[in-house]
Amino acid sequence: MIIGAAITEDEMIGSFLKGEINSVRFSDALKDRMQTLEVDPTVVTDPDFSNQTENSLRRRLFGAYRGYAENKELFEDFPSDVVWYRAALDYNEIKKIKYINYSYWNDLSDNTRLPTVASENIKRGYEAFHVANTNFLEAAAWLRNGNVFPELILVTKNPDTDLVVLEGHLRLTAYALAPECIPNPLSVIVGISQNIVDWPQYSDN
């Protein structure tokens, strides 16, 4: 992994929200929160990180929507000292990225948390918890049509330890289904903290 320039927490939040605004699974919940908090859609779809009012709105939205900085939901016990960077990964590094430690992804990947294993299960028709794999297959087909995904957001303890996907599970699975479409190198956002091992979604325990 080649670590590039540091980015702000506000940029990570903006990328996370923008990555899920069109998500089949998450967009309805995000849009409901946006409506409740009266957040204009362009604050998510066209973020201006130099605008501190916008940054505050996105941070508030992210907390309400996903529990960020509120010690709730996905971000329960998530460390507060994560430093965010842009980074570049090669193909072998991409293959080793893990899903979060969550029952659905564990089941789909035979408890390996590896998308390469999940993709083989998807190809043979296995459906974790009887959830259809249509979204994965459609995303892989979308890639094969020449389209490009937004950046994945990953976390790790340090550059030599496991990379775990924080945002972009469907996209990562689509890459595993259509590896010929993975950019080389792949640009990602990565958060680094020695304390990430205390986040239950990172570790296997």
Side-chain angles (χ1 to χ4, degrees):
M1 177 169 61
I2 300 174
I3 304 293
I7 66 170
T8 65
E9 186 180 38
D10 291 322
E11 289 176 274
M12 181 281 295
I13 291 170
S15 294
F16 194 113
L17 293 172
K18 193 172 182 179
E20 295 202 337
I21 189 67
N22 294 315
S23 164
V24 172
R25 182 179 179 189
F26 295 109
S27 62
D28 286 346
L30 175 54
K31 289 173 182 176
D32 284 347
R33 290 293 188 177
M34 290 168 64
Q35 185 173 15
T36 300
L37 297 176
E38 299 181 342
V39 176
D40 188 283
T42 59
V43 171
V44 172
T45 60
D46 189 23
D48 176 4
F49 299 117
S50 68
N51 186 322
Q52 294 308 311
T53 299
E54 274 198 17
N55 289 334
S56 296
L57 277 173
R58 280 187 292 271
R59 180 178 291 271
R60 183 181 174 206
L61 173 63
F62 200 27
Y65 163 59
R66 282 293 215 162
Y68 186 75
E70 296 185 1
N71 197 30
K72 296 190 303 187
E73 301 176 27
L74 176 64
F75 291 99
E76 185 175 358
D77 293 328
F78 193 82
S80 60
D81 62 349
V82 179
V83 180
W84 301 96
Y85 301 88
R86 279 205 159 77
L89 304 181
D90 64 29
Y91 180 70
N92 288 328
E93 292 167 325
I94 296 162
K95 289 194 301 181
K96 297 176 183 176
I97 297 172
K98 290 185 174 182
Y99 296 128
I100 57 171
N101 183 17
Y102 182 72
S103 57
Y104 174 82
W105 300 111
N106 293 343
D107 187 82
L108 189 64
S109 66
D110 295 339
N111 291 311
T112 66
R113 296 171 57 193
L114 292 173
T116 50
V117 176
S119 67
E120 293 303 315
N121 286 336
I122 291 167
K123 289 175 186 176
R124 67 178 178 83
Y126 179 73
E127 296 179 346
F129 297 101
H130 306 290
V131 177
N133 294 320
T134 306
N135 291 340
F136 301 131
L137 298 171
E138 289 180 347
W142 191 80
L143 272 179
R144 292 189 178 104
N145 284 331
N147 297 294
V148 178
F149 283 147
E151 291 172 306
L152 301 170
I153 302 178
L154 314 174
V155 290
T156 189
K157 179 180 178 181
N158 61 59
D160 298 318
T161 54
D162 286 341
L163 289 165
V164 172
V165 62
L166 176 66
E167 194 280 322
H169 284 73
L170 182 143
R171 302 196 298 275
L172 183 59
T173 308
Y175 280 140
L177 288 165
E180 71 278 9
C181 299
I182 299 175
N184 185 24
L186 178 70
S187 176
V188 299
I189 292 172
V190 60
I192 300 177
S193 167
Q194 291 291 313
N195 297 311
I196 199 67
V197 294
D198 297 327
W199 182 48
Q201 308 288 1
Y202 181 85
S203 301
D204 290 326
N205 298 328

